Amino acid sequence: MSQVAAVIQAGNAAEAERQARIALGQGADLVELRLDGLSDLGPETIRHLAKAVGDRAIATMRSQSQGGAPLEGRVERFTLMKEICGQRFAYADLELEEDDEGLDALARVASRLGTKVIVSHHFAEAADLHRVTETIEACAARGDVAKVVVPVRDLSSAIQLVDLARARTGRSRPLILIGTGAAGMVTRALADSIGEEIQYASWGRAASPGQFPLATAARLRGHEPIILGLVGHPLEHSISPAIHEAALAALDLPGVYLPFDISLNSLDGFLLAIDRLRIRGFNVTHPLKEAVAQQVDELDADAGRLGVVNTVVVEGGWTSGHNTDAYGFRISLRSIGLRVGQRSALVVGAGGAAKAVVHVLLREGASVQVTNRTIARADALADSFDEPVDVIAMTDLERRGPWDVLVNATPVGMNGVVSRLPVPEAVVAQAGFIYDLVYNPTATPLLQAARRLSRPGTSGLDMLLHQAAKAFELWIGQSPPFDAMRRAAKEALR
């Protein structure tokens, strides 16, 4: 079982000791003392910390070349490293390159006191698998534990690291192999299952990108992880990770919800790897909802009717696709008391979200019109329904209103996308109620225009929450903590 180490980054020894004791009391097996950040670092400080928490601490003095705070010179570093190795810490971290000349002598000193030696190397940039493997071997040859950290640019690189770590399970030297960044988070989530000696967790600010908070790492420890996630591109705007992490934490489940930022070209590779990555389920966002619908093993009624999937459940290698967008939109209409039966609606957009919205509006008895920047996509959407759906060119919109409801089902106005109105303000003025599926930012350009025109409106946050709750229930098999999910969403949008 991987030990969980909270990374302590403090400005002085007293604060480092205080934070270490708190972290150990809150579930950490170990603390990593980042000594290079201490203003009062010296032999006396090292001896004091060793006496205070050394039996449950990793003593790390990261060199400047490996991302640490600068020290005055190599002689000073060697002197301090000798002091570290001469004290009783649980582990001492020695660097493969910076400590090369004195590494073997330092390791012998540490060994006599029962301190395990971690020999580490942190790549500054992404590295190919051959270089990573060579570095692991070099670290393993000179210490009790080999630690290699490498930035990960994409999911395929993370999968390679997972496979490499699994292939080394059972070797004489334990391994810590970490992929940093959002794409590398899955290497951390699988720490136990791929035989990692230590899972480093953040205590306060993360020491490296993608590091889990201590509470999350502690929930994962000793369990088969429940790995969930979001698939699509781009993902920076999404608050789904915050929502689902809150639900997992509220139920004290050993799970994580990860961003899998992939393009259409990478979808096949992701689907082939879901078993190896222990993925139990995932959400799908733009632009992959229709592509995923064509590749899962089965579809629920809404997903099959629309040819659009936003939630996938994985069980025993079998993938089932669901459309919880339709459910979320339907429930959100009820929650805000918006009745659309016998009303007219204009839907802007022709993607997967637009299909779900049109599907619900038709079932609720609305008269639906659709517009889209690419008229051929709007025509294809209209043709996919048995009920009549009118298509209007954007250039004709100002002559075709009014509507009781206008729904924006495009990403226009979303953070990271074009910050403008999806339709001219004169069109907005012809709508009685404005429903913007965009939820980030909370005050979208469309909702700002609605306010100027004294039109009532809402963002897509309620739809997001209800579809997320349904997805969570499909994955976990129990009702989600909806209030915790809502609080997390609002906090994430501040």
Side-chain angles (χ1 to χ4, degrees):
M1 180 174 71
S2 297
Q3 300 177 86
V4 174
V7 182
I8 306 299
Q9 304 174 91
N12 58 65
E15 183 62 16
E17 180 185 348
R18 186 185 75 83
Q19 291 186 25
R21 291 187 185 280
I22 296 172
L24 290 169
Q26 292 189 12
D29 300 305
L30 301 163
V31 290
E32 183 188 37
L33 301 173
R34 284 295 301 268
L35 301 175
D36 51 285
L38 301 181
S39 61
D40 53 353
L41 179 61
E44 196 63 40
T45 296
I46 293 169
R47 288 193 287 272
H48 172 78
L49 289 172
K51 184 176 181 180
V53 293
D55 60 338
R56 297 181 68 184
I58 305 164
T60 299
M61 191 169 68
R62 191 70 59 225
S63 68
Q64 190 172 3
S65 66
Q66 293 276 277
L71 295 175
E72 289 302 317
R74 187 174 180 83
V75 174
E76 182 181 0
R77 177 179 172 83
F78 182 79
T79 300
L80 293 172
M81 292 307 302
K82 189 174 179 181
E83 188 67 52
I84 289 169
C85 292
Q87 301 300 319
R88 293 186 184 276
F89 289 99
Y91 295 85
D93 188 308
L94 305 180
E95 294 180 1
L96 179 66
E97 293 184 351
E98 190 70 23
D99 299 318
D100 178 34
E101 292 179 12
L103 199 155
D104 296 331
L106 291 170
R108 284 193 295 271
V109 173
S111 180
R112 284 197 293 270
L113 294 173
T115 298
K116 290 185 179 180
V117 172
I118 299 170
V119 177
S120 66
H121 181 75
H122 291 64
F123 284 95
E125 297 178 348
D128 63 53
L129 200 61
H130 179 69
R131 283 186 65 204
V132 173
T133 303
E134 283 187 336
T135 305
I136 290 172
E137 297 295 348
C139 291
R142 305 187 71 182
D144 301 303
V145 182
K147 177 186 178 184
V148 175
V149 180
V150 57
V152 173
R153 286 185 298 221
D154 52 41
L155 183 61
S156 63
S157 299
I159 293 169
Q160 288 181 334
L161 293 183
V162 169
D163 289 342
L164 176 59
R166 280 213 179 97
R168 294 185 59 86
T169 302
R171 297 281 187 96
S172 58
R173 291 288 188 269
L175 175 64
I176 303 166
L177 180 57
I178 300 170
T180 61
M185 292 174 74
V186 69
T187 67
R188 301 179 189 270
L190 293 170
D192 262 327
S193 69
I194 60 180
E196 302 269 300
E197 173 85 352
I198 296 166
Q199 163 85 283
Y200 291 82
S202 64
W203 179 254
R205 64 184 174 88
S208 65
Q211 202 170 66
F212 294 136
L214 172 59
T216 301
R219 289 202 320 271
L220 292 172
R221 178 180 50 207
H223 298 281
E224 180 68 21
I226 300 169
I227 297 185
L228 309 171
L230 177 64
V231 176
H233 176 81
L235 302 181
E236 289 83 1
H237 71 283
S238 178
I239 63 170
S240 289
I243 292 171
H244 287 289
E245 287 284 355
L248 292 164
L251 296 177
D252 196 26
L253 294 172
V256 289
Y257 186 97
L258 307 178
F260 296 111
D261 195 323
I262 61 173
S263 65
L264 181 60
N265 292 337
S266 304
L267 179 59
D268 286 346
F270 170 78
L271 294 174
L272 287 171
I274 55 177
D275 283 343
R276 284 146 61 205
L277 298 181
R278 305 287 200 271
I279 295 172
R280 182 181 292 193
F282 54 93
N283 287 131
V284 186
T285 189
H286 177 82
L288 302 177
K289 293 183 177 184
E290 290 165 310
V292 169
Q294 297 173 15
Q295 298 202 47
V296 293
D297 296 311
E298 66 177 348
L299 298 170
D300 75 354
D302 280 342
R305 171 70 185 80
L306 298 170
V308 175
V309 162
N310 81 306
T311 299
V312 175
V313 178
V314 183
E315 189 171 4
W318 186 262
T319 54
S320 56
H322 303 258
N323 193 299
T324 64
D325 277 342
Y327 172 87
F329 185 63
R330 186 181 302 117
I331 299 302
S332 73
L333 292 178
R334 285 161 172 64
S335 70
I336 61 177
L338 184 60
R339 299 182 181 278
V340 296
Q342 310 304 312
R343 304 286 182 88
S344 61
L346 172 66
V347 178
V348 184
K355 273 190 178 180
V357 166
V358 171
H359 174 63
V360 172
L361 291 172
L362 290 173
R363 288 183 60 179
E364 295 287 320
S367 171
V368 180
Q369 295 177 322
V370 174
T371 188
N372 190 59
R373 184 169 51 86
T374 305
I375 202 69
R377 284 180 57 81
D379 285 332
L381 183 151
D383 290 344
S384 69
F385 290 95
D386 295 330
E387 302 91 335
V389 176
D390 292 335
V391 175
I392 307 175
M394 282 203 167
T395 53
D396 294 337
L397 285 176
E398 292 183 32
R399 299 190 297 273
R400 296 292 297 273
W403 302 274
D404 295 306
V405 181
L406 184 154
V407 182
N408 174 38
T410 77
V412 174
M414 180 169 57
N415 275 345
V417 186
V418 181
S419 182
R420 60 174 173 80
L421 290 172
V423 292
E425 190 161 320
V427 175
V428 182
Q430 297 186 61
F433 187 93
I434 313 300
Y435 195 130
D436 195 345
L437 265 56
V438 174
Y439 58 83
N440 188 4
T442 52
T444 66
L446 180 58
L447 291 178
Q448 290 178 38
R451 211 169 292 126
R452 287 193 300 271
L453 296 164
S454 301
R455 298 291 190 273
T458 188
S459 76
L461 183 58
D462 254 18
M463 175 181 170
L464 175 75
L465 285 166
H466 287 294
Q467 71 80 21
K470 186 64 174 178
F472 190 91
E473 184 177 351
L474 289 167
W475 295 325
I476 304 301
Q478 64 184 98
S479 296
F482 193 80
D483 288 344
M485 297 170 85
R486 183 182 290 279
R487 284 194 299 271
K490 290 184 175 179
E491 181 66 28
L493 289 171
R494 282 184 180 175

